[in-house]
Structure formats: C-alpha cells, structure tokens
Amino acid sequence: NVQPFYILTQHGPISLAHNGNLVNAKTLREKLLKDGVGLSSTSDTEVMIMMLAAAKGETWQERIASCMMEWKGSYSIVLLTEEGLYAARDPWGFRPLCFGLVEDGIWAVASESCALLTLGCSKIKEVERGEILSITKDSSEVNQAIAPVEPSALCIFEYIYFARPDSIWNRVQIHNARVNFGIALASVMPVEADAVIAIPDSSRSSAIGYSQASGIKYDEGFSKNRYIGRTFIEPTQKLREQGVAMKFNVLENTVKGKRLIVVDDSIVRGTTIRRLIKMLRNAGALSVHIRIASPPIKFPCYMGVDMGGKESLIASSRSIKEIEDFIGADSLAFLSFEGMLDAMKKEGATCGFCCACFDGNYPCDVSEASNKDDFD
C-alpha cells in the first residue's frame, strides 16, 4: 500500500500519490475486478490509478476529469506522466493541495504551503475544489473539471491537528486558528494554576492562546523525541503505548510542585493522555487539569483519518466526567463545537467545514465506506 503507485499503461508510464479516502472505493474495486483488472493491494490509490489507466479521453486532463465524475470522497492527488505533472482536488475540498513556482518554468505541488516555502517557491496558490492543475514542458494551466459541491467541506481536523502551524490553507494561517482555539478554550471551566503547558507539537499554538487569554504563564512541560512519528494512528494499542513512552520526556523542574493546565488538540482513545498525566504526577505535579482545543470526537472519519471505528473513540460511549475519571485528570474540559467554528470565523474563514468526527454530519453519502476497526 506504499505510495506512489506506478504502472505502465497504453498511454505510457504513470505514477500516482493520493491524500484522502474514496468512500465508494469498494464498489469501484469490485467493478475493476469484474472487468478483469488485477489488483495487488487494499489501497484506494491503486483503484484510482487503474481507473486512470483505462479512462476515456485524448489527454490526461480529460481522463482525470472522467474519473473525477466517479470518485466519491476526499482526494488530493498528483499524477506524474511522460507529458507532465497533474494535480487534482475533490469537489468538496476535504484535503489541502497547493502549488508554487520554484524558478522559471519549474513548478512544485504539495499538500501544504509550508513545503513549498521550504523550497523557496513564489506565486503559491491553492488548487481549488474540483480543479485540475496541468504542468507540462510548455505551459501550466488550471481547469475546472467538475463543479464544486456547495457548501464546501474542508476538514476541520487539518486546522486542529494535521497541518503544520506555518501552513496557510484557505487564506487562514494554521497557527492563528489554533491560537484562537486556545483563546476560546480559556473561557471554558477556568481554573487556578501555576503554568499552562502543551502536549507538543500540534497543541502548542492553542496553549499559547490559552495562556494569553487566561493570564497564566506558558511553559514547556515535555521534551519531544523528533524521531518518533504520530502515535495515534499506530495499528495496535501496544505500539501506541510504546510510541508515547519513547516520544515524550517530562521536564521535571517545570512541573514539580506546580498546578498545571495541560492543553492538547484532541482526545481519540484517551490512552495517550492517560499515560502522560501519570508521567506528570510521577514528576511531582500537584494537579493536572486537561483542556482540549476541540470538541469530543464521537464519530469515525471516512475521509482519510485513521481513527478507527466508533467503538474505538472514547467520547462515543463515555461522558466527559467518565473520560476525566478514565484518564486520571483533576478536571477535563473541551472546546465547544460553536466555539471552534467561531474561532475559525475570527480568522476570516467563510467556507464550510467537514466536522463529521464531532457531529456525525457527513458531507457525502458514506454508506458504502469501510473503516479500519482493528484499533484496540
């Protein structure tokens, strides 16, 4: 299932990378198998590349547009061919996709603007919903392949957790959005404390906002191992716990004898924050008050975030008080759903968001979708 996928077609070799998840991948896969197409993985990216190989059209733009009419769900893709580089984004706009000029005649495409800034790109723009970007030796152009779905459905979890803070998506700086989450969170169940600390790195901006609004000083309570990846998407609970143990060390001098407000971006299963609270108490923290810069996650994601099934999500079956008891916090509070959206509006966001993991309102039909239920 490792990307990019590469195959040789009647139109020449092609390579495809994909961020997202097709909710009708099972149906499309069965159709390919019925047509005699051999598949070697369980990835919807392979389904997409096989469909492109057989798609109707004289050009790759036409073939991509033809497939986009059949793909349902989230996809930001890049396709490399002998003719050039192509990128496309789904009509809901679930996932980010942008491009920029490296130097004269050389363009780059990435999921986040921060990658393009690292390359020194200029003229950075977003591939808009339903658009195809074509970059060939002779030209670069953007065409509307499929009409955008209204309202848009940008994944709110990108702003909460996934995107890097120095990225800009839909004209909103990720860092600024998270600071606003923290400012709004500070008004929810205030408590006296000596320091505000973050679970690095994605919640640091929200912790700064919380500190600004509450007047409680911000400090660093954890040191993070940069060589350990995201642990919440590990396939088993044992691997997740091992990852957390290797990922964080407590800065004992910061936390010993202190009343702490610990800001995190979200709680999925509750096992990571539970272990971190225990680490803080072992280091001498007097009290640990957990503040979450997003609402409780109650529903699975079918658009590309491997959270697991509903039974894996702690907030789907437990009250906030029950979660508080499970993780061992002195108190627990979440940012409200309304507070989250108001924080986005303060940054000038006028588009629609996919908030299905919080409210269960999926922007498109997910009845055909499957989700990984092997998360303990």
Side-chain angles (χ1 to χ4, degrees), residues 197 220-223 248-256 260 276 278-284:
I197 66 172
E220 293 288 341
F222 290 97
S223 177
F248 297 107
N249 286 324
V250 176
L251 300 176
E252 187 171 329
N253 288 341
T254 299
V255 307
K256 188 174 182 179
L260 302 176
L276 294 176
K278 186 176 181 180
M279 290 170 64
L280 290 171
R281 294 198 189 282
N282 289 342

Short mmCIF file of all heavy atoms in Angstrom, two decimals, residues 197 220-223 248-256 260 276 278-284:
data_model
loop_
_atom_site.label_atom_id
_atom_site.label_comp_id
_atom_site.label_asym_id
_atom_site.label_seq_id
_atom_site.Cartn_x
_atom_site.Cartn_y
_atom_site.Cartn_z
N ILE A 197 0.88 24.28 29.98
CA ILE A 197 1.83 23.55 29.14
C ILE A 197 1.06 22.87 28.02
O ILE A 197 -0.16 22.66 28.10
CB ILE A 197 2.65 22.51 29.93
CG1 ILE A 197 1.75 21.39 30.45
CG2 ILE A 197 3.39 23.18 31.07
CD1 ILE A 197 2.55 20.23 31.08
N GLU A 220 7.15 25.08 29.05
CA GLU A 220 7.33 23.78 28.40
C GLU A 220 7.39 22.69 29.46
O GLU A 220 8.23 22.74 30.37
CB GLU A 220 8.62 23.76 27.57
CG GLU A 220 8.59 24.68 26.36
CD GLU A 220 7.70 24.16 25.25
OE1 GLU A 220 7.37 22.96 25.24
OE2 GLU A 220 7.30 24.98 24.39
N GLY A 221 6.50 21.71 29.35
CA GLY A 221 6.46 20.62 30.33
C GLY A 221 6.98 19.30 29.80
O GLY A 221 7.28 18.40 30.57
N PHE A 222 7.05 19.21 28.46
CA PHE A 222 7.52 17.97 27.85
C PHE A 222 8.63 18.26 26.84
O PHE A 222 8.62 19.29 26.17
CB PHE A 222 6.37 17.26 27.10
CG PHE A 222 5.31 16.68 27.99
CD1 PHE A 222 4.14 17.38 28.24
CD2 PHE A 222 5.49 15.44 28.57
CE1 PHE A 222 3.16 16.84 29.05
CE2 PHE A 222 4.51 14.89 29.39
CZ PHE A 222 3.34 15.60 29.64
N SER A 223 9.56 17.33 26.75
CA SER A 223 10.54 17.33 25.67
C SER A 223 10.15 16.20 24.72
O SER A 223 9.85 15.09 25.18
CB SER A 223 11.95 17.09 26.21
OG SER A 223 12.88 17.02 25.15
N PHE A 248 7.94 11.14 24.53
CA PHE A 248 7.93 12.27 25.46
C PHE A 248 8.76 11.99 26.72
O PHE A 248 8.74 10.88 27.25
CB PHE A 248 6.49 12.59 25.90
CG PHE A 248 5.59 13.03 24.78
CD1 PHE A 248 4.61 12.18 24.30
CD2 PHE A 248 5.71 14.29 24.22
CE1 PHE A 248 3.77 12.57 23.28
CE2 PHE A 248 4.88 14.69 23.20
CZ PHE A 248 3.91 13.84 22.72
N ASN A 249 9.44 13.03 27.16
CA ASN A 249 10.05 13.05 28.49
C ASN A 249 9.55 14.29 29.22
O ASN A 249 9.37 15.35 28.60
CB ASN A 249 11.58 13.11 28.40
CG ASN A 249 12.19 11.79 27.97
OD1 ASN A 249 11.70 10.73 28.34
ND2 ASN A 249 13.24 11.85 27.18
N VAL A 250 9.30 14.16 30.52
CA VAL A 250 8.81 15.29 31.32
C VAL A 250 9.98 16.16 31.76
O VAL A 250 11.04 15.65 32.17
CB VAL A 250 8.04 14.77 32.56
CG1 VAL A 250 7.62 15.94 33.43
CG2 VAL A 250 6.83 13.96 32.13
N LEU A 251 9.80 17.49 31.67
CA LEU A 251 10.78 18.43 32.22
C LEU A 251 10.43 18.63 33.69
O LEU A 251 9.59 19.45 34.05
CB LEU A 251 10.72 19.75 31.44
CG LEU A 251 11.02 19.64 29.94
CD1 LEU A 251 10.84 20.98 29.26
CD2 LEU A 251 12.43 19.11 29.72
N GLU A 252 11.09 17.86 34.54
CA GLU A 252 10.69 17.76 35.95
C GLU A 252 10.73 19.10 36.67
O GLU A 252 9.85 19.41 37.49
CB GLU A 252 11.57 16.73 36.67
CG GLU A 252 11.12 16.45 38.09
CD GLU A 252 11.86 15.28 38.70
OE1 GLU A 252 12.25 14.35 37.96
OE2 GLU A 252 12.06 15.29 39.93
N ASN A 253 11.72 19.92 36.40
CA ASN A 253 11.83 21.21 37.09
C ASN A 253 10.68 22.15 36.76
O ASN A 253 10.35 23.04 37.54
CB ASN A 253 13.16 21.88 36.73
CG ASN A 253 14.35 21.19 37.37
OD1 ASN A 253 14.19 20.44 38.33
ND2 ASN A 253 15.53 21.41 36.82
N THR A 254 10.06 21.95 35.61
CA THR A 254 8.92 22.78 35.21
C THR A 254 7.66 22.38 35.95
O THR A 254 6.86 23.22 36.35
CB THR A 254 8.69 22.68 33.69
OG1 THR A 254 9.84 23.16 33.00
CG2 THR A 254 7.47 23.50 33.27
N VAL A 255 7.47 21.08 36.15
CA VAL A 255 6.18 20.59 36.64
C VAL A 255 6.15 20.27 38.13
O VAL A 255 5.08 20.23 38.73
CB VAL A 255 5.74 19.34 35.83
CG1 VAL A 255 5.78 19.63 34.34
CG2 VAL A 255 6.62 18.14 36.14
N LYS A 256 7.30 20.05 38.73
CA LYS A 256 7.33 19.62 40.14
C LYS A 256 6.76 20.71 41.05
O LYS A 256 7.15 21.87 40.99
CB LYS A 256 8.76 19.30 40.56
CG LYS A 256 8.85 18.67 41.94
CD LYS A 256 10.29 18.24 42.24
CE LYS A 256 10.37 17.56 43.60
NZ LYS A 256 11.76 17.11 43.89
N LEU A 260 -0.97 22.41 37.12
CA LEU A 260 -0.79 22.52 35.67
C LEU A 260 -2.11 22.51 34.92
O LEU A 260 -3.04 21.76 35.26
CB LEU A 260 0.06 21.35 35.16
CG LEU A 260 1.45 21.18 35.76
CD1 LEU A 260 2.09 19.91 35.21
CD2 LEU A 260 2.32 22.39 35.46
N LEU A 276 0.38 10.25 29.80
CA LEU A 276 1.10 11.50 30.01
C LEU A 276 0.75 12.13 31.36
O LEU A 276 1.62 12.70 32.04
CB LEU A 276 0.79 12.48 28.88
CG LEU A 276 1.32 12.07 27.50
CD1 LEU A 276 0.86 13.06 26.44
CD2 LEU A 276 2.83 11.94 27.50
N LYS A 278 -0.06 10.47 34.03
CA LYS A 278 0.67 9.67 35.02
C LYS A 278 2.13 10.09 35.09
O LYS A 278 2.72 10.18 36.18
CB LYS A 278 0.55 8.19 34.65
CG LYS A 278 1.15 7.26 35.68
CD LYS A 278 0.91 5.79 35.30
CE LYS A 278 1.50 4.86 36.36
NZ LYS A 278 1.28 3.42 36.00
N MET A 279 2.72 10.39 33.92
CA MET A 279 4.12 10.85 33.89
C MET A 279 4.27 12.18 34.63
O MET A 279 5.25 12.38 35.37
CB MET A 279 4.59 10.99 32.44
CG MET A 279 4.74 9.67 31.71
SD MET A 279 5.00 9.86 29.92
CE MET A 279 6.58 10.73 29.91
N LEU A 280 3.31 13.08 34.46
CA LEU A 280 3.36 14.38 35.14
C LEU A 280 3.24 14.21 36.65
O LEU A 280 3.94 14.87 37.43
CB LEU A 280 2.26 15.29 34.61
CG LEU A 280 2.43 15.79 33.17
CD1 LEU A 280 1.16 16.49 32.70
CD2 LEU A 280 3.62 16.73 33.05
N ARG A 281 2.35 13.36 37.09
CA ARG A 281 2.17 13.13 38.53
C ARG A 281 3.43 12.49 39.13
O ARG A 281 3.86 12.85 40.23
CB ARG A 281 0.95 12.25 38.78
CG ARG A 281 -0.38 12.91 38.39
CD ARG A 281 -1.55 12.20 39.04
NE ARG A 281 -2.82 12.67 38.53
CZ ARG A 281 -3.42 13.80 38.90
NH1 ARG A 281 -2.82 14.60 39.75
NH2 ARG A 281 -4.59 14.13 38.41
N ASN A 282 4.02 11.55 38.39
CA ASN A 282 5.24 10.91 38.88
C ASN A 282 6.39 11.92 38.99
O ASN A 282 7.31 11.74 39.79
CB ASN A 282 5.65 9.77 37.96
CG ASN A 282 4.72 8.57 38.06
OD1 ASN A 282 3.98 8.43 39.03
ND2 ASN A 282 4.74 7.71 37.05
N ALA A 283 6.31 12.99 38.18
CA ALA A 283 7.35 14.02 38.21
C ALA A 283 7.07 15.08 39.27
O ALA A 283 7.84 16.04 39.41
CB ALA A 283 7.47 14.67 36.84
N GLY A 284 5.95 14.94 40.01
CA GLY A 284 5.69 15.83 41.12
C GLY A 284 4.66 16.91 40.90
O GLY A 284 4.54 17.83 41.72
#
